[in-house]
Amino acid sequence: MIHSLQFRLILAFILVIVVTIGAVFFFVARSTWIQIRQYEQYIIEGQVNRATFILSRYYLSNYSWVGVQPLIEQLATYGEERIVLTNPQDIVIADSQQNLIGESYQRDDGVPLYLPIITISPSGQSLPSQSSEYLFGTVYITSQRSPDALAILLSNTINRYLLWGAALAIAIALILTFILSRRILSPIRTLGNTARKLGKGDFSQRVRIKDRGEVGELAKTFNSMADDLERTEKLRRNMVADIAHELRTPLSNVSGYLEAIRDEVIKPEPSTIASLSEEVDLLSRLVDDLQELALADAGELKLNRQSEDITQLIQQAVKAVQTKVLAKGLEINVDITANLSSVNIDYQRISQVLRNLLENAIKHTPNGGKITVSAVQQESFIRVNVEDDGEGIPAEDLPNMFERFYRVDKSRTRHAGGSGLGLTIAKRLVESHGGTISVQSELGKGSCFSFTLPASI
């Protein structure tokens, strides 16, 4: 469970939510505390201004402090403060708590009262008077409640709502995360289930996901891989069947001849021995081709590379098949660009590739047809083309032309159509030299097989 992607997604979302809400909680709480303290300071300043204004008006009305004690008590009750009023000699005239009257009282946070202008200062500070014509008293105001009480009360209330909001947000986020994670992971689970069935050999499995994002691209790639696997598996089965067929036919012939000789049905005459030798040669060539293909697939094919003239190689290959060309009444042309770069190749291997392509062209070109062999340089590669105007290849067969044992005409025998390994071996030989091989064809108009080789630098 803890290793599932859904659990990790939910955990990641929770961590993000907690960190986000924690950061919001911290900054909101800090900002609230500062704003509340500023508001408290503003309230205290207002209370000081109010008290000094009322006391100044009282003195200006009576020109004495007689009877001011009830007013001081009333002001203190209204603002939940202790107010002490002293005369210019710092003797307490009035005290909201009535226990300092008549005593000397000296502090540095009082607000002096002057005539005719009253100076008002914040609590805890003493501001210079704008006019000092006459000092008629000093007011000392002390708050009876904790300076942080309001801030703590409001902060606790705000924090409590923030916590409830955070809990609600986390609960909603968990529900949404669970729903979203299921939607996100559903196609991945589908891919996993399909992959398991595919791994068990059911190559018909495909995923049907309509997502247009990365998951959709993954599904398309998966289906493409499944198509390739199905095609490869089909070719593998066909290859096994073809190998069995290719081996069975000559072995059956050899076995039949030997059985007939043993039963004295036929005599071991030279013609019989020649037939047996021909079947054995066919078996030997098939085994050699399979071995060569296996070495090429494993990357263990030994190449004797040397700098060679591709023009000379082409001319030698054309000369080697000239007898077959004349016997079939074909025309063969060679068109080679002048001053081609040399190529670093295994001469025998590339000759084998070219002869294979030429023999295929001869085989599939009707009497009186034409074959053209050309070579051109394309930047750092030499491209060799073998083109004929023969029967052509159906479009549906083109992707499989270089597969093992693949024949366009399934009715052709191994004597007429070969073993089906020639083009596959040619592809591996060209690729082992760092080149590529391809085919272009149109049914009824001919084919063009091309391969490239890196030019020597």
Side-chain angles (χ1 to χ4, degrees), residues 23-176:
V24 172
F25 182 87
F26 173 78
F27 287 109
V28 168
R30 183 174 178 82
S31 176
T32 301
W33 180 271
I34 293 173
Q35 293 297 324
I36 292 173
R37 291 299 302 273
Q38 291 177 350
Y39 180 71
E40 278 191 332
Q41 187 68 26
Y42 174 79
I43 291 176
I44 291 173
E45 289 177 1
Q47 291 170 346
V48 170
N49 293 338
R50 178 175 177 276
T52 55
F53 176 77
I54 292 174
L55 290 173
S56 297
R57 289 288 301 273
Y58 181 89
Y59 187 84
L60 289 174
S61 299
N62 300 287
Y63 288 97
S64 72
W65 293 117
V66 176
V68 77
Q69 177 65 29
L71 179 60
I72 292 293
E73 293 178 1
Q74 182 181 358
L75 290 174
T77 303
Y78 176 81
E80 297 184 7
E81 302 152 342
R82 181 178 184 181
I83 301 178
V84 176
L85 177 65
T86 65
N87 62 15
Q89 292 75 35
D90 293 326
I91 302 300
V92 176
I93 301 172
D95 178 10
S96 60
Q97 295 184 357
Q98 303 180 3
N99 52 10
L100 294 178
I101 298 174
E103 297 182 7
S104 178
Y105 191 82
Q106 292 184 349
R107 281 170 52 180
D108 58 1
D109 61 348
V111 181
L113 304 177
Y114 293 95
L115 282 177
I117 299 175
I118 301 172
T119 300
I120 302 173
S121 67
S123 175
Q125 296 181 354
S126 178
L127 298 179
S129 172
Q130 296 180 6
S131 175
S132 56
E133 293 180 1
Y134 177 65
L135 177 66
F136 59 88
T138 304
V139 178
Y140 299 90
I141 300 177
T142 305
S143 177
Q144 295 299 300
R145 62 176 180 270
S146 172
D148 295 332
L150 179 59
I152 293 173
L153 177 63
L154 291 178
S155 293
N156 289 340
T157 303
I158 292 173
N159 292 342
R160 184 165 59 251
Y161 282 107
L162 282 175
L163 289 174
W164 277 108
L168 181 61
I170 290 175
I172 295 173
L174 281 175
I175 295 173
L176 292 177

